[in-house]
Structure formats: C-alpha cells, structure tokens
Amino acid sequence: MKVLLVEDEPDLGASIQRKLSKERYIVDWVLDGNEAWIYLEHDWTQYTLAIFDWLLPGMSGLELCKRLRDRGNALPVLMLTAKDSMADKVAGLDAGADDYLIKPFGMAELLARLRALQRRASFGGATLTPQFQPLQLHVGGLILDCGNCTVSRQYPNGENKVIYLTKKEFQLLEYLMKRPNTVITRDQILNHLYAFSAERVSNVVAAQIRLLRRKLSEYGCDGLIETIPSMGYRFNPGNADSTIS
C-alpha cells in the first residue's frame, strides 16, 4: 500500500513515516500542501491512502481534500488535526475527509484507522465510489492476506503451504494480484514499490519480478506473471490451470 503523508511537523512526520514503513506501507512524505498537490495530480504517483494534516504551509489539508473531490478523486483521506470542536469535525468531513484523528494520538489507533480505510479503498483512489476491498485475495491458486502480510499456495486437496516472501516481493505480488489480466508498466511498478525520494536502480523491477517468479515456481506456480514485450507485466490467473495441480 502506498501512502501520501502530508505533515509539516518534522518529528511527527518522521515518526509516522517510520512506523508505517515498518508495517509494510510505502510512504511519500511531504511537508507542504502545494508540493502534496503536485504529487496528487500527476500520473506517476498512485496512492492507496492519504494522511493530511489540517494546517499546512502553502495549502491546507482541508483545501487538498476539496480539490481532490472536485476532481472526482475518491482517494481515502485521514485528516490529522488538533481541532476538536464539532464544527471543525463537520467541516473536515464535508470537505471530503473520510476519517478524522485528533492530535495527540497513538500509533496503534492511526494504524487501525488506516486499515479500516484500506478495507474500503478503491484501487489507486481513482474512482468516484470506493468499493469494499477484502483483506484476503484468492487469485491464481494463491491466497494473499493483506492484513497479516502472508501468502500461501492453495492446493486442490485443500492443503495450504506458506510462501515466504520479502517485504518488496509481497508488495509486488499484492499489486499484481489486485490487477489480474491487466498490463502494468515498469514505471507503474517502480512508483508503487518505492517512495518518490528513494534511490532507484534501473533494473530493480526486472530483478524483483525474477526473484518473485523463482519463489512462486518452487510451489508449482510458474507462468502466473507474464512479460508483455515492450509494455510491462501481467498477472494471468488463467495460467494457473496448467501450472497448479
């Protein structure tokens, strides 16, 4: 899951980023509302969730929400603020925020609220009506549990075997499984797997695909990830018919 964090308090922002990264979120953290809008309006950034502080330099979190909704973008937004009056809460929700967290707060509550938003998040926040998304995916003979960050191979006889993946391998497989039969470009994968500020190696996507395929093949799941020449990659559950028995 890729998150845009917009928080101008350096200590709080750094703390949230560290905690989310430990929980397998990929986080782009910016301190300014105007910079956040640049991230939001470009195709090279695709987020699952957003966390906006209310009071920000340049553009407030409230204005960010309004602009998103005016564009028809249903990206789930958690608003952080010290404003705790009923009128402020109503203003935040009316502006388009999906949830509201009063400062100071505990990280456990923050994570719980993000999980709740995640369950009903639309893919990439690009649709007008977010749909409930299950925490467990069953695609191509694989079971991916988004909540526990585990993957298992499901055999026809009912047996399940856990497939041990690294953090990046899990994030890559989750991204592909949520978009079956869809061609996904290298740049889309790159932008999903890494924060925008991260140093990126040119062949890192091909390397991650190769490592993930190798692990899946150990469980008889060959062919699920196809290479589409000059275009990218595709997760094809139909290939499970011939590779999973």
Side-chain angles (χ1 to χ4, degrees), residues 32-48:
D32 180 274
N34 288 334
E35 184 180 4
W37 184 249
I38 293 173
Y39 277 53
L40 287 166
E41 69 175 350
H42 283 83
D43 292 338
W44 40 257
T45 50
Q46 192 177 43
Y47 297 103
T48 308

Side-chain angles (χ1 to χ4, degrees), residues 2-198:
K2 192 164 189 178
V3 177
L4 177 62
L5 169 63
V6 193
E7 172 57 65
D8 65 328
E9 295 181 34
D11 290 343
L12 178 59
S15 179
I16 294 174
Q17 184 183 45
R18 283 195 302 270
K19 184 62 177 177
L20 294 185
S21 296
K22 288 181 180 178
E23 297 294 326
R24 295 178 180 257
Y25 290 94
I26 302 154
V27 184
D28 281 341
W29 171 33
V30 297
L31 294 87
D32 180 274
N34 288 334
E35 184 180 4
W37 184 249
I38 293 173
Y39 277 53
L40 287 166
E41 69 175 350
H42 283 83
D43 292 338
W44 40 257
T45 50
Q46 192 177 43
Y47 297 103
T48 308
L49 303 167
I51 304 172
F52 295 163
D53 187 23
W54 183 307
L55 298 177
L56 293 166
M59 186 188 305
S60 70
L62 206 67
E63 182 60 29
L64 283 172
C65 276
K66 288 179 180 178
R67 286 199 181 189
L68 275 177
R69 303 320 181 209
D70 287 345
R71 295 284 185 92
N73 191 324
L75 174 67
V77 174
L78 175 62
M79 185 75 76
L80 306 180
T81 181
K83 296 175 177 287
D84 60 356
S85 72
M86 181 60 68
D88 290 326
K89 292 179 181 179
V90 170
L93 295 171
D94 282 347
D98 297 275
D99 201 357
Y100 200 97
L101 190 55
I102 304 297
K103 297 179 180 179
F105 53 82
M107 288 296 172
E109 183 179 4
L110 173 69
L111 292 172
R113 289 177 182 270
L114 290 179
R115 287 194 296 270
L117 288 177
Q118 177 183 327
R119 284 193 291 270
R120 60 179 184 268
S122 60
F123 297 146
T127 60
L128 280 171
T129 306
Q131 298 176 347
F132 178 82
Q133 301 300 336
L135 284 179
Q136 203 174 76
L137 302 174
H138 295 250
V139 187
L142 299 175
I143 303 173
L144 186 143
D145 192 309
C146 304
N148 296 324
C149 296
T150 59
V151 179
S152 59
R153 153 79 138 83
Q154 185 177 45
Y155 292 83
N157 63 4
E159 180 185 6
N160 288 335
K161 286 188 177 180
V162 175
I163 302 175
Y164 295 97
L165 302 178
T166 66
K167 175 181 175 180
K168 287 299 178 198
E169 290 165 353
F170 179 90
Q171 291 168 339
L172 173 58
L173 182 59
E174 179 184 15
Y175 189 62
L176 295 172
M177 286 179 66
K178 284 185 174 180
R179 296 158 180 81
N181 300 312
T182 301
V183 177
I184 302 173
T185 68
R186 170 191 171 277
D187 286 345
Q188 285 176 312
I189 294 173
L190 191 65
N191 289 329
H192 178 79
L193 291 183
Y194 296 92
F196 186 68
S197 59

